[in-house]
Amino acid sequence: MSFSRPTRRGFLALASAAAFAAGRGEAAAEPAVGDDGLYHEPWFLQSFLDLREDLESAAASGKRLVIMWELRGCPYCRETHLVNFADTDITNYIRDNFEVLQLNLIGSRKVTDVDGQELSEKDIAQKYRIRFTPTFQFFPPSPAGIEAKEPLAREVARAPGYLKPPHFLAMFRFVRERAYERGSFRDFLATNG
């Protein structure tokens, strides 16, 4: 973050970090259930819900943007938070390489898509044909030309449904290593365990 040119994202990150430090001290952070009924990780992306801006910011920091789609009462969303994200190896890998934006499958917050269209979370989920929770939707390393593509062609990979921790981490490695350019996730698992 540059202090000579503050950004909205920088302000949010600083405010979030300050609130987290004041409320938690040095203790390890655990997910908290928000007013929306979803578990929230303290390290998730704090966003103004402008996907192009989020994609550009992730790219500028050498990370990839991933959207985690959830739904209140989803047992596998809960499992993802309480099991997968509780594994420090998984969490550290994701935090080092990805920006995770959490969206609600039936939410009403306004999201600006990469093509400039502003829709509710529910409508953008329909636009991208998100049907299950949790679903992880992975985007390319650069926003270049993404707005001209059809919605489903904008993502490089998708993980619909719950993945057990080893496969969950493998999916993030699959995207980070750009293995989707060489084959399927199933192929990646077969050769990389």
Side-chain angles (χ1 to χ4, degrees):
M1 171 172 41
S2 172
F3 289 104
S4 60
R5 186 176 166 217
T7 63
R8 295 185 302 172
R9 179 177 316 291
F11 174 75
L12 275 174
L14 188 59
S16 178
F20 174 72
R24 292 275 191 178
E26 298 290 59
E30 294 183 11
V33 178
D35 293 337
D36 57 4
L38 304 180
Y39 282 88
H40 297 276
E41 300 291 337
W43 50 271
F44 275 0
L45 178 62
Q46 298 299 311
S47 172
F48 286 100
L49 303 179
D50 182 324
L51 297 185
R52 180 157 194 99
E53 182 180 285
D54 292 340
L55 186 55
E56 289 170 349
S57 178
S61 62
K63 296 183 178 185
R64 302 289 293 268
L65 177 65
V66 58
I67 296 176
M68 180 182 186
W69 291 94
E70 296 190 63
L71 185 62
R72 174 186 219 131
C74 164
Y76 290 114
C77 299
R78 181 180 185 274
E79 190 86 357
T80 300
H81 286 279
L82 300 182
V83 175
N84 297 22
F85 290 145
D87 183 319
T88 55
D89 289 336
I90 292 173
T91 303
N92 288 340
Y93 185 84
I94 294 171
R95 291 177 73 174
D96 288 346
N97 296 290
F98 293 86
E99 293 285 356
V100 181
L101 175 62
Q102 182 180 42
L103 295 179
N104 186 336
L105 185 68
I106 59 169
S108 60
R109 295 182 302 167
K110 293 295 181 191
V111 179
T112 304
D113 198 357
V114 295
D115 58 13
Q117 186 179 28
E118 186 178 78
L119 299 166
S120 69
E121 290 168 286
K122 179 180 178 179
D123 290 339
I124 211 160
Q126 290 174 352
K127 178 178 180 177
Y128 282 99
R129 297 185 192 155
I130 306 296
R131 305 276 191 256
F132 309 102
T133 58
T135 290
F136 287 83
Q137 184 182 22
F138 296 88
F139 289 89
S142 165
I146 194 170
E147 68 281 348
K149 295 180 178 181
E150 291 297 318
L152 294 180
R154 294 175 184 162
E155 61 190 48
V156 296
R158 178 182 289 203
Y162 179 73
L163 293 172
K164 292 190 182 228
H167 292 140
F168 185 70
L169 178 57
M171 176 54 98
F172 282 86
R173 287 182 36 237
F174 172 74
V175 172
R176 182 63 186 176
E177 296 170 19
R178 298 172 79 148
Y180 53 83
E181 294 175 348
R182 299 181 298 279
S184 71
F185 180 55
R186 185 178 302 247
D187 296 338
F188 181 79
L189 283 177
T191 57
N192 295 285

